[in-house]
Amino acid sequence: MRRRLLLLICAALTVAAATCAPALAAAPAAATPHLYVRGAYFVHRDAVTVPGRAFSVQGIVRPYVPGQRVAVVTTLGRRRIKRDLLRVKPLPGGRAGAFTERVRSPAAGLVRITVIHHRSAQMVGFEKSRAVAVLTPSAGYGQSGTFVALIQQLLLARHVYLLPTGVFDQHTALALDAYHRLLGRGVSQALDPGVITALLNGEGTFKVLHPRDGTHVEGNLGRQLLALIHGAKVVWIYPISSGKPSTPTILGHFHVYLRTPGYLPDGMYFSDFFSGGYAIHGYDPAPDYPASHGCMRVPIADAVSIYDWLRIGDVVDVYYP
């Protein structure tokens, strides 16, 4: 009886102690942050842009913990240009949270966006950053560097033919000439501010008029451009010099019937004939105005790439739009 009484007293004391003891606080959640750059450009996997152009950094934090905020500090070189305190908002499903910081650099240099979360009772602290190179938007013939590589990348994205050497070379100059024509801004090999803005905005599209012609060529004599096309998809665009007023280029729907590599005695280079003596061929000079005897001349530097793409029987459509 006495033993049983002692056991009951011990049990009661244990329950009382458990009831009176303060509850143990839950451990703060360990966060995993990821930062993604949006609205910039990527050259060799590095994020780049130019002064005055907006981009954003989106942060994703797992797990999502309600009530958390992050400090976002943006610097240009050693100078702080922005600081914000942002709330982490839940994403659909509630397992992760997100925040977005918008940035516009006033000058060229290295912009670094650093995200800081100070430790709270609910989440551990962390710090993470991303860098974006803000490039000086100018380049001249013979120059190289990241900005030239970006311009070449953007020209290729508009399907203007060039070799992405990273150097402002002959191919780049010819591609810029074609791009000026594509925009309807005349003929020029200049990398001027208007062209840079148009490239960054993704402007300039070759309008395909004959998508049912399969693998074909369209010669737009109004723009002095030649496009290699699969159905409705433009592959490459080149500048041309078509027939001068006294010997105009024939208009219509034709097929490649004869292909001649190398030079012909009259200087035609890698020629694709599509009607009688009319051909697409390289020639020096291939000026930025109609100057041929009726053919569609292309610069010597472009001729082989066109020749390698075409085959006997491919359609050639020549028109004024």
Side-chain angles (χ1 to χ4, degrees):
M1 183 67 179
R2 185 177 179 182
R3 178 181 176 85
R4 183 179 178 185
L5 181 60
L6 289 172
L7 290 173
L8 288 172
I9 292 171
C10 290
L13 291 172
T14 302
V15 171
T19 303
C20 296
L24 294 176
T32 303
H34 296 278
L35 301 182
Y36 303 93
V37 178
R38 313 290 188 194
Y41 309 89
F42 289 86
V43 178
H44 308 308
R45 299 186 178 182
D46 295 326
V48 302
T49 190
V50 298
R53 195 164 188 89
F55 64 95
S56 64
V57 174
Q58 182 183 42
I60 306 294
V61 181
R62 290 185 174 84
Y64 168 69
V65 176
Q68 305 306 297
R69 294 179 181 272
V70 293
V72 184
V73 179
T74 303
T75 57
L76 174 59
R78 296 183 178 181
R79 177 166 62 99
R80 189 175 78 180
I81 59 175
K82 193 177 184 184
R83 186 184 189 282
D84 288 313
L85 187 63
L86 303 179
R87 184 166 65 91
V88 180
K89 301 177 181 179
L91 291 173
R95 295 184 178 182
F99 59 89
T100 300
E101 177 72 317
R102 291 173 176 79
V103 180
R104 191 188 303 267
S105 177
L110 184 67
V111 169
R112 187 171 298 277
I113 302 93
T114 302
V115 178
I116 304 165
H117 179 273
H118 296 290
R119 182 184 179 93
S120 69
Q122 298 81 27
M123 182 178 285
V124 300
F126 62 79
E127 181 175 320
K128 196 172 184 66
S129 65
R130 283 295 302 266
V132 177
V134 182
L135 308 174
T136 301
S138 65
Y141 200 91
Q143 292 183 343
S144 61
T146 304
F147 184 70
V148 173
L150 172 62
I151 290 299
Q152 290 181 341
Q153 180 176 299
L154 294 173
L155 285 166
L156 290 170
R158 306 323 301 159
H159 307 289
V160 180
Y161 178 77
L162 61 81
L163 297 177
T165 60
V167 178
F168 195 137
D169 52 14
Q170 181 188 20
H171 277 287
T172 306
L174 291 172
L176 285 169
D177 191 2
Y179 187 63
H180 275 271
R181 303 180 194 194
L182 191 62
L183 295 174
R185 298 184 181 180
V187 292
S188 174
Q189 297 183 354
L191 183 59
D192 57 62
V195 163
I196 293 171
T197 298
L199 280 169
L200 293 171
N201 290 340
E203 298 174 17
T205 301
F206 188 98
K207 184 178 180 181
V208 177
L209 296 189
H210 300 280
R212 296 183 179 179
D213 284 348
T215 298
H216 70 290
V217 175
E218 292 191 15
N220 183 327
L221 303 190
R223 292 286 174 92
Q224 289 290 285
L225 290 173
L226 181 88
L228 308 182
I229 303 167
H230 280 306
K233 181 181 178 182
V234 175
V235 179
W236 295 122
I237 302 167
Y238 302 83
I240 62 170
S241 175
S242 64
K244 58 189 175 182
S246 59
T247 54
T249 300
I250 189 171
L251 305 179
H253 176 88
F254 311 98
H255 294 268
V256 175
Y257 74 91
L258 175 66
R259 290 161 45 79
T260 306
Y263 278 100
L264 292 172
D266 58 2
M268 296 170 64
Y269 182 65
F270 279 85
S271 307
D272 288 278
F273 291 87
F274 56 86
S275 178
Y278 293 95
I280 301 165
H281 64 84
Y283 197 79
D284 186 16
D288 55 11
Y289 56 88
S292 79
H293 296 99
C295 293
M296 290 189 282
R297 292 181 186 176
V298 299
I300 293 293
D302 292 341
V304 174
S305 67
I306 298 171
Y307 186 87
D308 287 345
W309 192 86
L310 284 170
R311 296 290 183 268
I312 293 290
D314 285 348
V315 171
V316 178
D317 293 304
V318 187
Y319 53 80
Y320 279 93

